[in-house]
Amino acid sequence: MPRISLFIFLVTSMVAFYGVAVGQTPVVEVSTDSSTYHYGDTGEVLLTVTNGPEEYAIDFYLALIGPDGTQYFYPSWGNIMQPALTGFVLPPDFEMGPFVYI
């Protein structure tokens, strides 16, 4: 079974997604309800996952990038990259979402 790594970086007011794999890969869509936010605003993060005909094992990374460019990785919020979730299996033809996180 192929393994891919998914990286989600929260950059001040923007969410970015990066996936790395060989062949046909799952599609992960991450977006926000606005392109800019101001102090005190509430933001929503939308997540949708769709997989093709092949099973994949997923390593999931979540990081916050501060205003100075420093990366903080979940779950320890330290500077060492570690997966938030490892070995999560997406079955063939899997669909999930959209889910909204506030």
Side-chain angles (χ1 to χ4, degrees):
M1 158 181 15
R3 178 178 291 267
I4 64 174
S5 296
L6 302 177
F7 298 87
I8 296 180
F9 293 96
L10 302 177
V11 185
T12 55
S13 64
M14 177 181 105
V15 176
F17 165 78
Y18 301 94
V20 179
V22 176
Q24 185 178 359
T25 61
V27 175
V28 178
E29 298 173 327
V30 180
S31 61
T32 60
D33 62 329
S34 179
S35 60
T36 59
Y37 296 93
H38 301 283
Y39 182 78
D41 289 351
T42 299
E44 294 181 355
V45 177
L46 293 88
L47 173 67
T48 303
V49 179
T50 306
N51 193 21
E54 191 172 345
E55 185 175 85
Y56 278 91
I58 302 293
D59 291 337
F60 178 79
Y61 296 81
L62 178 65
L64 174 68
I65 301 176
D68 65 352
T70 303
Q71 298 176 1
Y72 302 97
F73 292 93
Y74 180 86
S76 68
W77 294 115
N79 300 108
I80 298 172
M81 185 187 309
Q82 52 186 290
L85 179 65
T86 185
F88 180 78
V89 177
L90 285 180
D93 303 316
F94 177 81
E95 292 186 22
M96 174 182 87
F99 291 105
V100 176
Y101 300 93
I102 298 174

